[in-house]
Amino acid sequence: KAGSNNVQVIDVANGHTLTKLYTGATPWRLQISPNKQQLWVQHWYAERTTVVDLGKHTITATLPLRGPGMFNKKGDLFYSFSWPNNALSIYNTTKMSLRETKETEIKHAFDLALPGAEGRLLVGQYDPITKVKRPLYDYVFPYNLKKGESGVPIQSGDSSARLRLDPTGEFVVAANFDGQELILI
């Protein structure tokens, strides 16, 4: 809950709260690890990511990342920006340590997707802060993780605030806040 600055563990069978964890100010992104053992909670105002052990309901690590972030398919790496910065941080999820940081040309990364083959990250841009004359980002950027470089931008409509893979993993749907449209990439 962003307003109460906690994450609640709820028994879905009866709706009762099992525990509340203060993970930081304004949780805005939640990522469950591929093995379903951890919840990575990214916080807007606290500018950090808190790792929660889902079996023990305890906080096991805190990392200096606002987000957005996501796991690779194996779950051994976590890719994250710290909005609005353009550096991509790559964390080893076993050691909870920074593996590397890559400076990119991409500013205001607001959501990420890993389509198809490993090694390519799609980055959607959005600026939720500016209220007057908001910058419009008309492209989703492919980023080659191995080469550390951006590819040719893909037309995606106005300000791709959310990126989601279709069930096959072949296509990405870009939800555009300013254009109020969905674009299939």
Side-chain angles (χ1 to χ4, degrees), residues 17-85:
T17 299
L18 300 175
T19 190
K20 288 182 185 180
L21 296 170
Y22 177 77
T23 56
T26 58
W28 76 296
R29 297 288 172 119
L30 303 174
Q31 295 287 335
I32 295 178
S33 62
N35 65 7
K36 311 280 190 256
Q37 301 299 307
Q38 298 172 329
L39 176 67
W40 288 47
V41 184
Q42 297 194 293
H43 303 86
W44 186 260
Y45 289 115
E47 295 187 48
R48 69 180 184 201
T49 298
T50 304
V51 181
V52 176
D53 181 309
L54 291 174
K56 297 177 183 175
H57 304 160
T58 58
I59 295 171
T60 59
T62 301
L63 308 171
L65 302 165
R66 173 183 280 154
M70 70 176 309
F71 292 94
N72 68 346
K73 289 181 175 94
K74 287 180 10 184
D76 60 335
L77 298 176
F78 188 75
Y79 305 108
S80 188
F81 285 86
S82 193
W83 190 98
N85 300 322

Side-chain angles (χ1 to χ4, degrees), residues 2-183:
S4 59
N5 299 330
N6 66 60
V7 172
Q8 296 180 24
V9 180
I10 298 172
D11 182 335
V12 293
N14 60 26
H16 293 113
T17 299
L18 300 175
T19 190
K20 288 182 185 180
L21 296 170
Y22 177 77
T23 56
T26 58
W28 76 296
R29 297 288 172 119
L30 303 174
Q31 295 287 335
I32 295 178
S33 62
N35 65 7
K36 311 280 190 256
Q37 301 299 307
Q38 298 172 329
L39 176 67
W40 288 47
V41 184
Q42 297 194 293
H43 303 86
W44 186 260
Y45 289 115
E47 295 187 48
R48 69 180 184 201
T49 298
T50 304
V51 181
V52 176
D53 181 309
L54 291 174
K56 297 177 183 175
H57 304 160
T58 58
I59 295 171
T60 59
T62 301
L63 308 171
L65 302 165
R66 173 183 280 154
M70 70 176 309
F71 292 94
N72 68 346
K73 289 181 175 94
K74 287 180 10 184
D76 60 335
L77 298 176
F78 188 75
Y79 305 108
S80 188
F81 285 86
S82 193
W83 190 98
N85 300 322
N86 66 335
L88 173 65
S89 297
I90 303 171
Y91 275 81
N92 177 314
T93 61
T94 306
K95 297 177 183 176
M96 293 296 165
S97 63
L98 181 63
R99 180 175 165 190
E100 67 182 302
T101 300
K102 296 182 178 196
E103 292 297 323
T104 75
E105 301 168 358
I106 306 166
K107 61 181 178 177
H108 293 149
F110 201 75
D111 207 7
L112 309 174
L114 276 170
E118 191 85 20
R120 190 171 63 136
L121 183 67
L122 292 182
V123 183
Q125 297 173 289
Y126 181 62
D127 180 353
I129 302 296
T130 305
K131 301 298 180 202
V132 178
K133 239 176 167 187
R134 180 191 316 272
L136 297 180
Y137 298 104
D138 296 343
Y139 301 97
V140 167
F141 280 89
Y143 184 79
N144 186 316
L145 292 161
K146 293 178 178 140
K147 292 181 181 178
E149 61 189 26
S150 300
V152 176
I154 303 164
Q155 186 73 39
S156 65
D158 295 336
S159 298
S160 298
R162 293 286 187 261
L163 301 176
R164 293 295 179 262
L165 286 175
D166 80 308
T168 68
E170 294 181 43
F171 300 98
V172 173
V173 177
N176 300 307
F177 182 81
D178 291 319
Q180 297 183 358
E181 60 192 358
L182 298 175
I183 302 290

